[in-house]
Amino acid sequence: MKTDRKCPNGEQFVMLLFTVCSLCNILISGQTTSQPVPEDCTIQQCDDHCVTSDQMFTAPEGQLVTFKFPEVLPPYYSCSWTIQLPLGSFVRLHFEEMAIPCDPEHPVKIFFKRIPGLDILDEDTYAALFDNTESFIISETNKLTISYDSGSSQQSGGFRASYSTSDTPGCRVEPREFVESERCGISTCDAPKAFIGSPNYPNPFDGPSGCHWEITTSPGTTILLQFEMFDISDGPNCASSFLAVTDSEQTIRFCNTIVPWNSSLSHKSSANHLSLHLSSSVGSFFALYEEQPFTPSTSLILSTDEGKFLTTKAHLF
């Protein structure tokens, strides 16, 4: 992913231009060049610190590392990494080490969401990640792209990340910095199965409350919601910090004081829709939902055309 933005220009940046462009030439060639500094010093000259300007990964697992990590990156370092797996596979991305300055203008950008209704990567929406944050992401399509432009910073140490293949997509499994407003907003989950998690998982969620998930599966199915990790602390009756699960017109609040830790925490819906609402400023959870064939508990007696009777189970819509 090339960037056409040029190095700073203007009289006050003359020395910086010379330094940055010379540094690129030195690092690329391994020796000092006697050639004059070009008038048009673009970031592309620094892209040679990448294996390619847009690195493509198609193996089922791998590692992504910035130039000479954890050494400080040269100014105007610019690279992108694209992971593309077979259709039906999804990317589990784990940032293991991160040494990116806390600069909102130059975050690591992770494109992992899909265009609603399509299995196509949304190339306009991204998660912004920086600072010393360990983060975990599961893509919503078979493709995920990371890009990073360090700008003029001489303090960025880059990052080290690894990825693996998942047969299940994510639905809002994303880093903390993606939550930019006072409230998380609503996420629509319409895949037959998907992982969901609190923002910044596996780290405690320390941002705004009000995250909401709407889960809908195929007509005639129910939803099995299974928590793989749950840690939301509160006092008796889950009065202020909780995860609320609404099934039809019934709402159940979950928090540490009522979670049955001696057994796996799960909930099976009565229909093909569940709503989850996180009302907590601290804590975390990670869960898998999956649609299930409807299994009624009532047996009905039905007559055949020949007048015989069959005992079966059925659901009346």
Side-chain angles (χ1 to χ4, degrees), residues 61-191:
E61 59 184 23
Q63 284 200 330
L64 315 174
V65 184
T66 53
F67 181 67
K68 291 188 177 180
F69 179 83
E71 294 183 16
V72 174
L73 292 170
Y76 300 100
Y77 172 86
S78 180
C79 282
S80 67
W81 302 258
T82 296
I83 304 168
Q84 184 152 356
L85 302 176
L87 290 174
S89 298
F90 306 91
V91 182
R92 296 175 68 106
L93 179 65
H94 180 209
F95 283 90
E96 300 163 351
E97 294 184 76
M98 170 93 43
I100 304 295
C102 188
D103 179 2
E105 295 297 321
H106 295 280
V108 176
K109 298 179 180 180
I110 307 105
F111 299 83
F112 69 101
K113 287 184 168 289
R114 68 182 176 92
I115 298 175
L118 301 172
D119 288 328
I120 300 175
L121 183 68
D122 185 343
E123 298 184 354
D124 296 322
T125 304
Y126 60 85
L129 189 63
F130 44 76
D131 210 356
N132 299 311
T133 305
E134 179 186 9
S135 296
F136 176 68
I137 296 171
I138 302 179
S139 69
E140 297 181 6
T141 72
N142 65 317
K143 184 178 179 181
L144 181 149
T145 296
I146 305 166
S147 68
Y148 180 54
D149 169 15
S150 66
S152 61
S153 172
Q154 298 185 45
Q155 299 178 343
S156 178
F159 64 82
R160 180 169 63 87
S162 61
Y163 77 90
S164 60
T165 301
S166 172
D167 62 356
T168 302
C171 182
R172 197 168 202 163
V173 180
E174 60 200 13
R176 177 188 62 208
E177 285 80 8
F178 192 74
V179 184
E180 299 174 347
S181 63
E182 294 183 357
R183 301 183 67 84
C184 292
I186 300 175
S187 293
T188 301
C189 307
D190 55 9

